[in-house]
Amino acid sequence: MAEITNIRSPRVKAARRLAKRAFRDRDRAFLAEGPQAVREALAIEDATVELFATAEAQLRHGDIVAAATAAGVPVHWASGEVMAELTQTVTPQGIVAVCRFVHVPLAEAVPPSGARLVAVLAHVRDPGNAGTVLRTADAAGADAVVFSGASVDPYNGKCVRASAGSLFHLPVATGAPVAEAVRHARESGLRVLAADGAGTRTLDEIDLGRPTAWMFGNEAWGLPAELLELADEVVRVPIYGRAESLNLATAAGICLYASARVQRKTLHSVEEPTTPRS
């Protein structure tokens, strides 16, 4: 296998342009950087188009190369200069995959009566925050994450890296207006809660055992009045110390885990058999 050393080669240029959203949308493909993301991409059938890896990375991550080869995914040796051209990190990890879009329609991500916990990103613009919310939703056992049409592209390189592979773990829907996402969630049996500092009640004061779609707003200005009105209730995270507010991803993690904890406890209590009294 010949090593690709020319940063102007057609193959490298085609992959490099996926750093721009216009080309991602046109080719319906994106870059997944680093062993964790690439490993998770390869776990999904037909999600990976091709793989670039330095000689050192191929030795260090032989399992990834073997998985790609077994799946029929072309593996290209890349020089350090080529890898630097393909990646957006200061210290590249030496492995990048070109992947197909993996998002699904809203109706598939949030099926009728089939979801219990969903995150809806409303006008979330920071890719690092969005990717972290996606990763946290995955860790909390959420059923789906919805990126509204006004939110950042989930295939943005920073968002993909921040998700740490979770982009490939749970259904992600994109492009729907917030009002449509909220309406669909409600029609699918979910209560819609807006996380906002203007909430009249806190997480400590509401019933979190019901199927819930959490709506999270923009990092700088939160949720505007017209979006707050779409929710069944506006809820704030209690602040016990002197901090003025919480980072979006932190607040989302608290809300999602609070719901997941109560829901799992409720579900397990229902499933446990009742011991008859003697």
Side-chain angles (χ1 to χ4, degrees), residues 86-107:
L86 292 176
T87 58
Q88 298 177 318
T89 53
V90 175
T91 307
Q93 298 181 66
I95 191 164
V96 175
V98 175
C99 301
R100 296 182 177 88
F101 280 4
V102 294
H103 65 269
V104 298
L106 180 61

Side-chain angles (χ1 to χ4, degrees), residues 24-40:
R24 291 197 296 269
D25 289 341
R26 192 185 77 174
D27 296 348
R28 297 189 62 77
F30 66 103
L31 297 178
E33 179 182 342
Q36 177 65 21
V38 172
R39 189 176 286 110
E40 301 308 320

Side-chain angles (χ1 to χ4, degrees), residues 19 31 36 40 83 98 103 123 136 165 187 190 217 231 236-237 243-244 256 260:
L31 297 178
Q36 177 65 21
E40 301 308 320
M83 188 56 59
V98 175
H103 65 269
H123 300 225
T136 303
E187 291 173 350
L190 296 165
R236 71 180 190 276
V237 176
E244 179 186 3
L256 291 169

Side-chain angles (χ1 to χ4, degrees), residues 99-139:
C99 301
R100 296 182 177 88
F101 280 4
V102 294
H103 65 269
V104 298
L106 180 61
E108 183 178 334
V110 187
S113 303
R116 293 193 58 84
L117 185 59
V118 173
V120 178
L121 303 186
H123 300 225
V124 173
R125 304 290 175 80
D126 182 86
N129 268 332
T132 301
V133 173
L134 179 53
R135 180 180 184 180
T136 303
D138 178 21

Side-chain angles (χ1 to χ4, degrees), residues 197-211:
T200 55
R201 293 204 292 171
T202 72
L203 278 174
D204 298 334
E205 300 169 330
I206 62 172
D207 174 18
L208 294 173
R210 296 166 53 188

Side-chain angles (χ1 to χ4, degrees), residues 76-266:
H76 311 297
W77 287 46
S79 67
E81 186 179 11
V82 166
M83 188 56 59
E85 186 73 9
L86 292 176
T87 58
Q88 298 177 318
T89 53
V90 175
T91 307
Q93 298 181 66
I95 191 164
V96 175
V98 175
C99 301
R100 296 182 177 88
F101 280 4
V102 294
H103 65 269
V104 298
L106 180 61
E108 183 178 334
V110 187
S113 303
R116 293 193 58 84
L117 185 59
V118 173
V120 178
L121 303 186
H123 300 225
V124 173
R125 304 290 175 80
D126 182 86
N129 268 332
T132 301
V133 173
L134 179 53
R135 180 180 184 180
T136 303
D138 178 21
D143 298 289
V145 175
V146 179
F147 283 69
S148 72
S151 288
V152 67
D153 177 16
Y155 302 117
N156 173 288
K158 187 175 181 180
C159 185
V160 175
R161 292 193 300 277
S163 79
S166 290
L167 175 62
F168 302 101
H169 290 170
L170 74 172
V172 173
T174 68
V178 178
E180 179 184 338
V182 168
R183 180 174 61 253
H184 178 77
R186 190 172 287 116
E187 291 173 350
S188 299
L190 296 165
R191 176 183 53 168
V192 178
L193 298 180
D196 193 90
T200 55
R201 293 204 292 171
T202 72
L203 278 174
D204 298 334
E205 300 169 330
I206 62 172
D207 174 18
L208 294 173
R210 296 166 53 188
T212 299
W214 277 101
M215 181 166 54
F216 304 110
N218 181 272
E219 296 83 356
W221 59 81
L223 291 163
E226 62 269 22
L227 295 186
L228 292 175
E229 291 175 357
L230 296 175
D232 296 312
E233 187 165 359
V234 181
V235 183
R236 71 180 190 276
V237 176
I239 294 180
Y240 304 117
R242 297 174 61 186
E244 179 186 3
S245 62
L246 290 169
N247 168 274
L248 165 66
T250 301
I254 292 171
C255 293
L256 291 169
Y257 262 93
S259 285
R261 179 177 57 83
V262 176
Q263 287 184 8
R264 290 174 68 83
K265 182 178 180 180
T266 301

